[in-house]
Amino acid sequence: MSLLRYQVRSLMIVRAFERGALYPVPLDAIHTVSYLADALATSWRLKPLDNAVLKTQWVPRSQPLQTAVDRLTGMGLIRATKVEYVVRDSRHALQAEYAVDLDRAADVFAVLDGDSEWIAENTAIGEISFAVTAMGRERAPRAVLVDASYSDPLLDNNNVLSLSSGIDDEPTRTESAGRSLGAIAKERVGHALTPAELTSLYVRHLYALSGEA
Amino acid sequence: MVADSGSQWSVEKLEGRFVASYGVGSDADLPELIRFIRGVTELARSRHARGEEFTEQPVIFVLHPKEPAVDFGARSRNPRVPMLDQGDSSIGGLIWFVNHVVNDGFSVAQLDNDSPATLFSYISRDLGLGSTAAAVVSKMDGEFVVRFYPNGLDDPDTCVRQSLEVSRLDCGEVLDVLDGIWRNELVTPLAQGHVSSTWSDPSKLIPIKEAELLVQRILKIGLTARYLGVFKVHQEHAGASGRFDLLIEQPDPADRSRVTKHVLLELKVLREKRSTGSTFPPAENVAAIRKGIIQAVSYRDEWDVKACALCVFDMRKEVEGSAAFDGVETEAMHNSVDLWIRHLFPDSDSYREYQYAGGS
């Protein structure tokens, strides 16, 4: 997957949080939204950027996404504050908060907002970011840790987790949870859930679970 | 169900989540201002259903999720409330600063001696947010209402008021709202100016390919804006008998999975030409009307909706009016389908001529 797509996704995420108000957005929240966009890609009919992640006890960091964030910071399109390093698994991990420079990025957003190729991705990233915003600064980065797939008790840390299923594959645990919510909607209110409704319900369940964890 | 999930992902747990949160995100395709007022309305109704009392002292919501760069003075500033729209926190006695989906925000306290006038003045003058969209929830003349100021509190004349206690909606009322939307947003290419047009080339009477879909979207936005979110408008959901166009329902604020389905609207666009410019056979327009009646009845019965209407937008040259329903009126009446037709004029001249000749 080209670095450009990761850069576009990073910009979309930071701008969505600017509108949603969890802002400046913590780095883990950026990776959280990107993870959920891939885990819920089937619902949004998107092609995931990362098909798999390494399960750890932390929020999974997509290396290409991090490279994209670093590049955008270097280009001055987003700004990093509260930069520090924390030790995770005996390694130093970057922590920071990011804000978008709307003036500098205006031309980029003008292209993205006017190009039909990016509409679906932009909508999905926006709605996922708004849903995660509602979790608040403390719990938002913990959403992935309780995600149905990432928290699979049958998958130990340091194993690779597939984020989306192929056409003939078994659905992932996240996809199964989405299907269950869709079936409940059919039974209760008689119609299917839109991708944004499903995302909101799913993230609200993560919020509840993150409080129990 | 998620395999080996224990209780966290059980159907029972997910059903609980559904009951508490159904409908969140259903407005993703609406403009931010509409989402804001819809969110405020849902939150206020949810709090009301939980027993929170509202008085004439207004609860004010300002669409400004960021901290204003001012000192709040004697007013205490409360922490941000995650999942604000779940309605778990009391909202009364406060000024709220929220995002457009009203799921996150913080508040500052009102003072004991605050009047509605001092609160409006505080937001406008002290905070400098007089031109920021705002919504006010309060009791007025004994009625629980929301008032929406899209241009901010500095423009009090531009305000829409909606009762939050209303629980009935009939077809006639909805069709009256459609009249307003048609007149303001659809009747001529000029009226459609700020949105994508239903016309590809109005001078040749050529519509765009997705004219009906565009009309659907405009009606959805217009209806949601008119009712300030008290009623929810669904667009294009599939069932066994096909996809309905628009469905207006109202969730029970105490249990969002319990909905009253008030009105179903089946839309048809009559046309002179196809989007390619070739002639559209008149017989297909006649057939579309009869098909629309059958669809309206089928969807109403399948989705258990109280009432339905066939709404026709006529993009042909000649204004036929309700004569377009000749031959099907009895069938529609027998099946309790309301019929409604309005013309989409290709230019302002022909609309003026129509009005001059006595058309409404």
Side-chain angles (χ1 to χ4, degrees), chain B residues 78-93:
Chain B
N78 302 310
R80 300 194 87 87
V81 179
M83 298 288 169
L84 173 64
D85 55 346
Q86 288 290 91
D88 294 333
S89 305
S90 172
I91 59 174

Side-chain angles (χ1 to χ4, degrees), chain A residues 36 45 50 59 66 68 110 115 120 139 191 210:
Chain A
L36 289 173
R45 298 185 182 178
D50 293 309
V59 176
Q66 187 59 51
D115 190 335
R139 285 209 223 169
H191 48 75
S210 71

